[in-house]
Amino acid sequence: MSDEVRKLKAALLESEVDLVADAIVRSVNGSGRTADLQAFLGSVFDRDGAALPERYRRLAGLRLSAALTTTFDTLLERTFSPLPDSALTPKDTEQLLGALSSKQFFIGKLYGKLCDPDSVMLSPSQYEEEVARNEGFGQFMESLFVSRTLLFLGCSLKGIQDYLGGLRIKGASRRHDALVAVSGEVWETKAAYLLDRYGIQVIPVPEDKAEESVDAFINDLAEAIASRRLQAHGFSSFESAGTLRDGSPGLIREVHLRNIGLFTDLCLELDPQWSVLLGDNGVGKSTVLKAIALAFCGRDGRDYAERLLAAGQTSGQISIRTDRQEYVTNLSRTRSGVEVTSLPDRPLEIESWLALGFPALRTLTWRAARVGSDDEGRGRPVSQDLTPLLSGDPDPRLDEVKDWIVSLDY
């Protein structure tokens, strides 16, 4: 036994699994034996021929909006999708954001898929690096956390913290739950931190009864959901709790501007049906709309923030309150320009709004019409839908209308 192997075994005995995983990754990458590691992982996690555990069959009946895992087996794929390669990895950022925005069910393999070696990660540090490096994936994870109610099953307290590692989440915007096997007393301090920092309510179960506790919890949850559906369809008395369902669109209730354009402090309460801004030229109507657009775009709108921050001010703030929560965008003047910080970022994707932003002049670009163009539309709202409003430039989407009109003649 080599000295390195002995050290790794000693680390495992002390439950330092992450350190061992990082050491293996460094060793494999340095020796060029990635294929050997892939083959070993495949032999460990290849369970396609095994019977699907009953708990997974029960999970399939919960009508979840998504299922995420850090494991490499294909149990979730077999449970929720007939397609063997249906799961998405951090490499599939556009598909993940599209599924989140359109409220479509998806399976997320946070540490990658063995059938796609380039996507595989073995340790929390690799995952955290991916969140920091892949801006789109980081935005997806943040949006998921603030727009969905999460239920952690089979995770340790440390595993939950690893999942949240690298995310720019401050404050709890909604309640999440975690069924966690615990022992001793230290877990209570960790659980209190998760509740205060992330809004995650830990449901503790004895460590020696973890498996049966998970099964019982899933069964009870499935029965409770089934009973609620029966009530909702009139089989017994049912009264809505008045909470907004994840799948329904929210409404903007209030816009609050501080040091934005001409406004030192402006608070507007919006009507749930229509809100019309009327006023003379130069009183700030466009500023209000551009401020909302900037808040929707988050960091993607930072190139236009200089035009919105009030002259002579070093900071400003745009707050938008919806049915779901409040979105706060801060503008800070620096030597290099105005920085934009939104928490949570990009409410446009979280809320899944249809948002159209046109500049004052509805002009077309000089691009020639493309007869018979069959370009596919995007499957989700993106910041580019609103940047024409911020920049004042011609809206390129009107070119698509022009192409369509020209194509009608053919």
Side-chain angles (χ1 to χ4, degrees), residues 94-132:
E94 190 65 25
Q95 295 95 311
L96 286 169
L97 286 169
L100 185 65
S101 176
S102 61
K103 306 295 192 298
Q104 294 178 349
F105 176 84
F106 63 91
I107 300 172
K109 308 282 281 193
L110 299 184
Y111 278 24
K113 299 184 293 188
L114 295 180
C115 61
D116 182 6
D118 292 339
S119 70
V120 172
M121 292 173 277
L122 297 180
S123 67
S125 61
Q126 285 184 295
Y127 168 76
E128 189 169 343
E129 289 173 5
E130 180 68 19
V131 172

Side-chain angles (χ1 to χ4, degrees), residues 287-321:
T287 298
V288 173
L289 296 179
K290 290 181 179 182
I292 296 174
L294 179 61
F296 284 2
C297 296
R299 286 174 286 178
D300 289 348
R302 55 183 173 267
D303 292 342
Y304 312 102
E306 179 79 37
R307 309 177 188 182
L308 283 176
L309 184 59
Q313 298 296 326
T314 59
S315 64
Q317 187 177 86
I318 306 167
S319 299
I320 296 180
R321 181 173 58 83

Side-chain angles (χ1 to χ4, degrees), residues 66-117:
L68 305 177
T69 183
T70 57
T71 66
F72 297 121
D73 60 52
T74 59
L75 290 174
L76 287 179
E77 292 94 313
R78 293 168 56 198
T79 300
F80 293 103
S81 174
L83 302 176
D85 196 31
S86 59
L88 302 174
T89 74
K91 291 174 55 180
D92 306 312
T93 300
E94 190 65 25
Q95 295 95 311
L96 286 169
L97 286 169
L100 185 65
S101 176
S102 61
K103 306 295 192 298
Q104 294 178 349
F105 176 84
F106 63 91
I107 300 172
K109 308 282 281 193
L110 299 184
Y111 278 24
K113 299 184 293 188
L114 295 180
C115 61
D116 182 6

Side-chain angles (χ1 to χ4, degrees), residues 345-368:
D345 200 16
R346 295 159 68 107
L348 181 62
E349 290 171 339
I350 296 174
E351 297 280 354
S352 301
W353 286 313
L354 169 63
L356 305 176
F358 299 102
L361 298 177
R362 276 71 165 174
T363 57
L364 302 176
T365 70
W366 285 98
R367 180 180 65 76

